[in-house]
Amino acid sequence: MFWNREMETISGADLEALQLSRLKWTVHHSQNVDFYRRKFRDAGVTPDDITTLADVEKLPFTSKKELRDAYPFGNIAVPMKQVVRIHTTSGTTGKPTVVSYTRRDLDNWSELIARNLTMIGLTDEDVFQNSVNYGLFTGGLGFHYGAEKIGATVVPSATGNTRRQIEMIQDFGVTAIHCTPSYGMHLAEVAEEMGASLDTLRIGIFGAEPWSENMRKELEERLGVEAFDSYGMSEMYGPGAGFECPEHNGLHLWHDCYLAEIIDPVTGERLPDGEKGELVVTPLVKEAMPLIRYRTGDITCILPDDCPCGRGKRIARLTGRADDMLVIRGINVFPSQIEHTLLSIPDVGDQFIVYVDRINHLDEMTIEVEINRKSFSGELADLARLQKTVAAAIKENLNLRATVKLVEPGSLPRFEGKARHVVDRRSDI
């Protein structure tokens, strides 16, 4: 199913010509922003130097810090009267990044969401429950307007009051739900405690945090849905910039609207397709807040082959963020790797917290993970055996020793937004 077949399947010379035309426009448009004029001058480059797509490598990178430093409106390229909405980023310290939108920006964003939802089989026959924050966070309104664009019945449930969320699914015949994967697991938990059936659900859309294939299986089994991954960030409009199709093999980063590169996060060198590194994105149609070679911090690769669905190349599902990567005793570890390992062990649950400490000048990792009450006998001998099993699995998969503490089901905190799985206490010393 296609919402905009022409743009979704554009390829070859036609795609390159469109991308180049839009790249040239974006580069020229960026000169309405003071810090881009300075960056171009410092880099010794002008907009007229961009004559091919390969010339994008001449352009300077943009960092998240630069956008924060421009607070509140130093990154806007249009008169303020053309800005019709403002969002801000979440999860940063100090001042947030302010993200501004013109009317056309909002139309483009809802268009991308409409493509995503149509691609995975949603129509005007569906009831769509949007269980994400509707405030300054971009997740709520972005999906809301895209779902309305395709004619779906939208339930703007936002976050919180999980039992009421479950009642809405039942009472309104909800067929598709959008939330973070960790909140999806919490919904499943509470529904099981209530003895509530969620049999109207058929599609689950999960994003805002990395999640593993094992969690996909859990979500699909416990919620009775086909699970799809959503990718995006506020700086790129918001969620839905990239989305998983029914092939479930990578994310389509809409190539008519975004120019993607993969770089070595240390050297900044551009990497070939298939090689994993940091995703760098240049949006091609943003009016209010143009971006040039924005370093997302997300770790992925461009898959070398076109997708069988007809929508061209994809990026691999994210393995984590460059700035979320833990270096423990010289070993690089992503929280998603720990999650994947834990979810492969039936006797533990899906909730965990990792603590990293420095003891006697050595890094130590402690993992608190909930026991799965359904499969655990409760015997002390079995408890000790399970601790050893978890520790051995972590050692085998991550080549890292960890102290494992098993805790009661439901005792670890739940998060309605992005789950916080890592507490790095080394900086407190």
Side-chain angles (χ1 to χ4, degrees):
M1 295 173 60
F2 293 89
W3 175 258
N4 185 342
R5 182 185 291 269
E6 180 183 3
M7 283 295 105
E8 291 176 50
T9 61
I10 187 172
S11 61
D14 290 339
L15 174 59
E16 291 182 8
L18 178 64
Q19 287 180 326
L20 180 58
S21 172
R22 290 181 168 180
L23 175 62
K24 288 180 177 180
W25 175 85
T26 296
V27 170
H28 279 86
H29 186 54
S30 73
Q31 299 308 287
N32 292 317
V33 180
D34 285 342
F35 81 77
Y36 274 127
R37 286 199 299 271
R38 293 194 300 270
K39 285 177 72 69
F40 276 50
R41 184 175 61 248
D42 293 344
V45 65
T46 71
D48 292 335
D49 293 330
I50 306 305
T51 59
T52 69
L53 286 177
D55 288 336
V56 72
E57 294 188 64
K58 298 177 181 178
L59 301 173
F61 294 114
T62 304
S63 70
K64 192 174 190 72
K65 181 180 183 302
E66 288 174 310
L67 298 184
R68 285 202 299 265
D69 290 346
Y71 181 92
F73 302 127
N75 55 16
I76 294 178
V78 298
M80 193 65 193
K81 65 181 180 180
Q82 294 182 21
V83 174
V84 297
R85 190 191 299 171
I86 292 170
H87 284 286
T88 66
T89 60
S90 62
T92 58
T93 57
K95 294 290 188 182
T97 300
V98 176
V99 187
S100 305
Y101 303 79
T102 65
R103 195 170 303 281
R104 182 172 294 176
D105 286 332
L106 294 179
D107 288 343
N108 288 336
W109 187 14
S110 63
E111 156 77 15
L112 297 185
I113 299 295
R115 292 184 195 181
N116 297 333
L117 299 183
T118 302
M119 177 172 65
I120 64 174
L122 267 67
T123 70
D124 55 8
E125 299 287 337
D126 282 286
V127 180
F128 176 77
Q129 185 157 317
N130 204 20
S131 299
V132 292
N133 192 317
Y134 264 74
L136 289 171
F137 173 62
T138 53
L141 288 174
F143 266 88
H144 182 107
Y145 284 107
E148 285 187 343
K149 186 182 282 281
I150 70 168
T153 302
V154 179
V155 181
S157 61
T159 58
N161 200 343
T162 302
R163 288 178 175 266
R164 179 62 182 136
Q165 298 255 4
I166 291 166
E167 289 174 2
M168 284 188 278
I169 292 172
Q170 295 177 312
D171 295 346
F172 301 152
V174 172
T175 57
I177 190 166
H178 172 223
C179 60
T180 63
S182 52
Y183 190 60
M185 295 296 284
H186 184 52
L187 273 173
E189 268 185 351
V190 175
E192 289 163 5
E193 290 171 3
M194 294 170 62
S197 171
L198 303 178
D199 58 358
T200 61
L201 285 178
R202 65 184 187 88
I203 288 177
I205 299 165
F206 305 102
E209 59 191 27
W211 50 294
S212 66
E213 287 300 312
N214 280 333
M215 181 171 271
R216 183 200 297 277
K217 294 175 184 175
E218 286 266 322
L219 287 164
E220 291 186 334
E221 289 174 4
R222 297 175 73 175
L223 291 175
V225 298
E226 183 176 0
F228 292 90
D229 197 1
S230 170
Y231 171 70
M233 53 178 53
S234 299
E235 297 86 346
M236 296 161 62
Y237 284 147
F243 212 84
E244 197 171 38
C245 75
E247 295 291 329
H248 295 293
N249 183 23
L251 298 149
H252 291 282
L253 188 68
W254 296 110
H255 44 210
D256 59 317
C257 295
Y258 302 99
L259 187 63
E261 306 171 74
I262 304 295
I263 65 166
D264 183 307
V266 176
T267 67
E269 176 189 2
R270 190 166 178 175
L271 301 176
D273 290 0
E275 194 164 336
K276 188 175 292 186
E278 181 181 356
L279 176 65
V280 171
V281 174
T282 302
L284 300 175
V285 294
K286 290 191 70 184
E287 287 189 333
M289 197 183 99
L291 286 176
I292 303 297
R293 300 192 83 194
Y294 182 63
R295 295 188 63 158
T296 68
D298 290 318
I299 302 300
T300 183
C301 69
I302 296 176
L303 298 175
D305 298 323
D306 286 353
C307 183
C309 80
R311 294 176 177 87
K313 289 188 176 181
R314 302 139 292 163
I315 59 172
R317 294 187 70 212
L318 307 183
T319 58
R321 287 183 54 81
D323 51 6
D324 283 348
M325 185 177 72
L326 299 168
V327 181
I328 303 174
R329 294 196 291 275
I331 297 173
N332 296 341
V333 179
F334 288 103
S336 56
Q337 293 174 295
I338 299 171
E339 176 197 77
H340 184 85
T341 300
L342 294 176
L343 286 177
S344 68
I345 303 171
D347 290 332
V348 299
D350 55 89
Q351 300 294 329
F352 69 96
I353 295 181
V354 178
Y355 296 94
V356 186
D357 299 282
R358 184 155 291 144
I359 300 173
N360 296 327
H361 307 292
L362 295 175
D363 293 338
E364 300 291 343
M365 182 169 69
T366 301
I367 301 174
E368 290 186 355
V369 59
E370 291 183 0
I371 297 167
N372 185 338
R373 182 180 283 121
K374 290 183 178 179
S375 59
F376 185 67
S377 69
E379 297 293 331
L380 288 177
D382 290 338
L383 186 70
R385 189 179 304 113
L386 180 55
Q387 281 181 305
K388 291 181 180 179
T389 298
V390 175
I394 294 291
K395 182 68 169 66
E396 179 180 354
N397 293 333
L398 279 69
N399 194 28
L400 196 63
R401 185 186 71 254
T403 299
V404 175
K405 294 183 178 179
L406 303 176
V407 298
E408 285 288 323
S411 62
L412 293 180
R414 268 48 173 176
F415 302 97
E416 292 166 357
K418 293 185 182 181
R420 294 186 288 277
H421 285 310
V422 178
V423 179
D424 192 341
R425 298 186 287 207
R426 290 173 293 184
S427 60
D428 297 337
I429 297 174

